[in-house]
């Protein structure tokens, strides 16, 4: 027997985006990543948190990738309004520290 189909426009019941909030990376956040030091940075957006703890991202070509958090940088605004790329691990630590206060 085939699985039941969801109605058009319905959202899936297993929501993987709730784990992103404690990391400070809501869905749609602009990021960049690279797998090796010699590669160029690739732009992407955050989609979900994978079961293994890595980030599920959608790259510029629309491909879904699973990227370890250590290879990701988050796009933020600097003190004077310029673009600054911050390691995702530091963003997560900053959010965790704010929750402790």
């Amino acid at each position: 027997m085939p699985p039941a189909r969801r109605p058009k426009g319905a959202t899936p019941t297993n929501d993987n985006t709730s784990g992103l909030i404690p990391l400070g990376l809501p869905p749609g956040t602009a990021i960049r990543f690279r797998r090796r030091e010699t590669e160029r940075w690739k732009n992407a957006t955050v989609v979900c948190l994978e079961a293994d703890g890595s980030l599920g991202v959608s790259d510029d070509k629309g491909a879904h990738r699973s990227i370890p958090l250590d290879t990701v940088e988050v796009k933020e605004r600097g003190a004077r309004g310029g673009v600054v790329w911050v390691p995702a691990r530091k963003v997560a630590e900053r959010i965790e520290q704010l929750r402790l206060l």
Side-chain angles (χ1 to χ4, degrees), residues 23 69-70 72 74 76 85-97:
L23 292 177
L69 194 62
D70 292 333
V72 174
V74 181
E76 291 185 347
W85 291 97
V86 181
R89 192 64 76 182
K90 289 193 183 221
V91 173
E93 289 171 1
R94 183 173 56 213
I95 297 300
E96 184 66 29
Q97 289 296 322

Side-chain angles (χ1 to χ4, degrees), residues 23 25 30-46 50 52-57 65-75 85-92:
L23 292 177
L25 301 171
I31 60 134
R32 68 181 184 176
F33 69 94
R34 62 181 176 182
R35 297 194 188 262
R36 291 184 296 275
E37 291 289 324
T38 57
E39 282 187 355
R40 292 185 179 191
W41 291 100
K42 298 174 185 84
N43 294 324
T45 55
V46 175
E50 300 290 342
D52 64 352
S54 60
L55 285 178
V57 300
R65 300 178 184 273
S66 181
I67 307 295
L69 194 62
D70 292 333
T71 62
V72 174
E73 290 187 352
V74 181
K75 185 178 184 179
W85 291 97
V86 181
R89 192 64 76 182
K90 289 193 183 221
V91 173

